Amino acid sequence: MPDKKRKTPKLDELEKGEWPSFVKEIKSAADKNAMANDLLGQLERSYEEKIGHWKHGGIVGVLGYGGGVIGRYSDLPEEFPSVSHFHTMRINQPAGWFYTSDVLRKLCDIWEKHGSGLTNMHGSTGDLVFLGTRTEELEPTFKELTDLGFDLGGSGSDVRTPSCCCGMARCEWACYDTMALTYFLTMHYQDELHRPAFPYKWKFKMSGCPNDCVAAIARSDMSIIGTWRDDIQVDEAAVTECAKAGMDIQKDVVGNCPAKCMDWDGKKLKIDNKSCVKCMHCINAMPKALAPGKDRGACILIGAKAPIVEGALLSSVLIPFIKLEPPYTELIELVDKIHEVWSENGKNRERIGEFIQRVGMGNFLEAIGVEPIPEMVAHPRENPYVFYEEYFEEDESQENPKR
Amino acid sequence: MGDQVSVQEVSDAMYKMIKDSMGQKKWKATDLTKAVTEMFGERCDKNTAKSAIRELIESGKCVYTYFGGSFIEIPHKEGAEN
């Protein structure tokens, strides 16, 4: 039990309003945990002074692993002794974030015993995040986690814990088994996940369809997003039902199609599937009437990142369509080749998207042995891969180079 | 082409590099791999270098650290803890 409760007038403001408040949860934990109590005190100080009081990084971890623990120390240890160490542990979450309530209780018990009891469910990496413990509690926590069948996730310059949407477990639009691929990649890249060997972090995120519920296109170095290459499935009777029920198909479906590839004459919905960009809008609007095609797989995109060292990037198409079924040989060969080229030539703290920007898409494609195709053009009027080599060769042979 | 160098020999060479440059240079796994590949030439492939790093870490002779990126260092007193 904490000796005395911290006074937190500024944090109290964050409890007001209709939304959930992290302050309320920390206060609840602070009733029985000294760490949570001192955390409130230090946070209040940060809000008063408009300055953070954490020191980040360092040497802490569990034996043999280079990831999974993020060292954090208070720079006011005398004032807030219970958070002098406040390390974060990232726990590899189950694919699709499926838990049993029994396992959740056991995880919370472990963390109340060894740490602050505070968690993030889940962090932006996808991991289950345990917030705040001391160095000497890391190994005992890790031991209890592994006894329960859990492992640490990634951190630092390694493969971060792969994450995915719930996929075929709950969603009929999933174009491939996201959970199976996530589990496979997690197991296949165990060494790269626990032993940082890259210039910087590498994130895989798997979405089952172009709705991209895990926001892979904005957050992962390799975004694997489900898609299809045949025609959208249309249940004409259900389309008629939608119209009869009062849906304005012309305005709300056809009018919002970004590819303008649909036509509605009041009776029949026609789709020019060759022009469809698989945006999912029409399928989302009429889920009973329309569905993704039957020839399903995924599109692989590369290079997204949040702004850290440089600005944010969205990923762009690398492989427009790939069938994703075990043993995933084609995918693994591609990923390994990319890792090899990036590890060999990447600068410290350079994400793959930044690396591609620096060396040029053309050079990158040549290095990984992938042919350029029109789908790789990320923006209108941008052509990142044409070299005009034949043009130069022709000119050189005529000894009259014109550029 | 000579015999393949042993994991232990590569691990020892990596340890010496890290120890000799302590306080002056931080080594990433890729830097160590490049350095031993240069040192041993074709006698050391990437898998041997990878195994050597693993040996360094699992023996406790070195640890991973994080300072804006992941590095491999000889264990020392945590600066941030002071």
Side-chain angles (χ1 to χ4, degrees):
Chain A
M1 282 285 282
D3 295 338
K4 56 172 184 178
K5 282 196 171 182
R6 299 280 180 182
K7 288 188 175 152
T8 56
K10 288 199 179 292
L11 290 178
D12 294 346
E13 292 295 313
L14 297 174
E15 284 188 284
K16 296 173 183 171
E18 298 301 313
W19 47 85
S21 167
F22 70 95
V23 175
K24 183 181 162 194
E25 300 305 324
I26 300 175
K27 280 184 177 175
S28 168
D31 288 340
K32 53 184 179 180
N33 185 298
M35 258 187 167
N37 192 42
D38 273 3
L39 176 64
L40 282 172
Q42 182 166 310
L43 272 177
E44 180 70 18
R45 174 70 79 84
S46 288
Y47 275 86
E48 283 167 6
E49 298 176 354
K50 298 185 174 62
I51 186 171
H53 285 289
W54 297 116
K55 295 186 282 184
H56 169 66
I59 204 169
V60 292
V62 298
L63 182 65
Y65 281 23
V69 177
I70 296 98
R72 190 161 287 125
Y73 298 92
S74 169
D75 68 2
L76 301 168
E78 288 80 20
E79 282 180 67
F80 305 106
S82 298
V83 293
S84 57
H85 296 199
F86 201 73
H87 311 315
T88 293
M89 296 184 85
R90 288 195 183 139
I91 319 301
N92 194 327
Q93 82 285 5
W97 300 292
F98 285 96
Y99 299 89
T100 62
S101 49
D102 179 53
V103 158
L104 284 175
R105 282 193 192 93
K106 285 176 178 161
L107 286 166
C108 290
D109 288 346
I110 290 171
W111 197 231
E112 286 191 350
K113 183 175 162 191
H114 294 288
S116 71
L118 298 168
T119 62
N120 274 347
M121 298 288 282
H122 293 78
S124 58
T125 50
D127 299 274
L128 162 58
V129 181
F130 282 0
L131 292 161
T133 193
R134 298 189 58 79
T135 303
E136 60 271 21
E137 294 292 345
L138 293 171
E139 289 287 358
T141 310
F142 181 52
K143 167 77 172 61
E144 290 200 31
L145 284 168
T146 50
D147 288 347
L148 190 58
F150 281 81
D151 195 1
L152 295 188
S155 68
S157 308
D158 63 11
V159 168
R160 299 302 183 83
T161 316
S163 72
C164 66
C165 68
C166 61
M168 289 174 170
R170 292 184 63 192
C171 181
E172 70 268 33
W173 292 334
C175 294
Y176 70 97
D177 191 341
T178 54
M179 291 172 64
L181 180 61
T182 300
Y183 179 76
F184 173 82
L185 290 174
T186 304
M187 300 313 286
H188 185 84
Y189 288 111
Q190 276 290 292
D191 197 62
E192 288 78 4
L193 205 157
H194 295 309
R195 298 174 188 86
F198 296 137
Y200 205 18
K201 63 186 86 169
W202 173 275
K203 295 180 179 180
F204 287 110
K205 292 199 190 295
M206 276 58 74
S207 287
C209 79
N211 279 334
D212 194 10
C213 289
V214 291
I217 200 167
R219 305 193 301 149
S220 57
D221 298 274
M222 180 168 275
S223 328
I224 304 175
I225 300 177
T227 188
W228 64 96
R229 58 183 171 183
D230 56 349
D231 295 350
I232 290 175
Q233 298 182 69
V234 183
D235 180 338
E236 290 186 10
V239 174
T240 307
E241 270 181 45
C242 286
K244 277 186 182 170
M247 177 180 243
D248 188 340
I249 292 176
Q250 180 59 42
K251 177 171 171 277
D252 295 333
V253 181
V254 175
N256 286 331
C257 173
K260 306 291 176 209
C261 69
M262 309 185 87
D263 185 58
W264 170 247
D265 61 7
K267 289 180 184 170
K268 192 170 171 63
L269 184 67
K270 288 182 191 164
I271 304 174
D272 173 13
N273 280 281
K274 282 182 186 167
S275 302
C276 173
V277 294
K278 319 286 195 286
C279 78
M280 292 289 289
H281 172 75
C282 60
I283 296 172
N284 292 333
M286 295 197 290
K288 284 186 180 172
L290 304 176
K294 290 179 179 171
D295 186 9
R296 297 178 178 192
C299 176
I300 298 178
L301 302 96
I302 193 154
K305 62 177 279 292
I308 301 180
V309 183
E310 290 183 24
L313 294 172
L314 287 178
S315 58
S316 60
V317 173
L318 183 66
I319 306 290
F321 188 87
I322 184 172
K323 283 282 187 187
L324 282 176
E325 283 153 10
Y328 307 108
T329 311
E330 204 179 341
L331 175 66
I332 294 302
E333 283 173 1
L334 175 71
V335 173
D336 288 349
K337 191 68 195 167
I338 293 170
H339 283 172
E340 188 186 329
V341 170
W342 177 47
S343 293
E344 190 69 28
N345 303 292
K347 292 179 180 176
N348 186 30
R349 301 194 82 195
E350 185 174 51
R351 297 283 287 271
I352 190 71
E354 293 160 348
F355 173 72
I356 293 170
Q357 282 192 328
R358 178 167 63 83
V359 302
M361 188 64 161
N363 291 326
F364 174 71
L365 292 174
E366 194 174 3
I368 64 169
V370 171
E371 286 293 314
I373 50 171
E375 286 89 338
M376 293 173 182
V377 177
H379 308 286
R381 299 181 187 83
E382 179 191 71
N383 190 337
Y385 57 81
V386 173
F387 315 116
Y388 300 106
E389 278 179 0
E390 289 157 8
Y391 175 82
F392 286 122
E393 280 165 17
E394 191 181 326
D395 280 347
E396 280 159 14
S397 69
Q398 292 169 0
E399 293 183 339
N400 181 27
K402 22 175 207 185
R403 309 220 166 171
Chain B
M1 186 179 149
D3 292 341
Q4 191 76 4
V5 69
S6 71
V7 168
Q8 190 58 52
E9 206 175 333
V10 176
S11 168
D12 290 345
M14 285 177 170
Y15 183 76
K16 187 171 184 312
M17 287 173 199
I18 297 167
K19 193 177 175 193
D20 290 350
S21 58
M22 229 176 133
Q24 296 167 334
K25 175 179 168 65
K26 285 187 191 294
W27 294 84
K28 289 186 79 81
T30 44
D31 300 332
L32 286 169
T33 303
K34 281 180 193 170
V36 291
T37 307
E38 204 169 289
M39 178 185 279
F40 295 106
E42 291 181 356
R43 293 172 61 216
C44 178
D45 59 25
K46 283 179 183 168
N47 284 336
T48 308
K50 199 172 173 180
S51 302
I53 291 171
R54 189 166 178 167
E55 202 282 325
L56 273 180
I57 299 295
E58 294 190 346
S59 65
K61 286 168 79 178
C62 288
V63 289
Y64 286 107
T65 61
Y66 182 85
F67 295 96
S70 298
F71 298 92
I72 295 169
E73 295 184 61
I74 292 170
H76 53 83
K77 172 107 175 97
E78 178 74 271
E81 197 178 344
N82 297 328

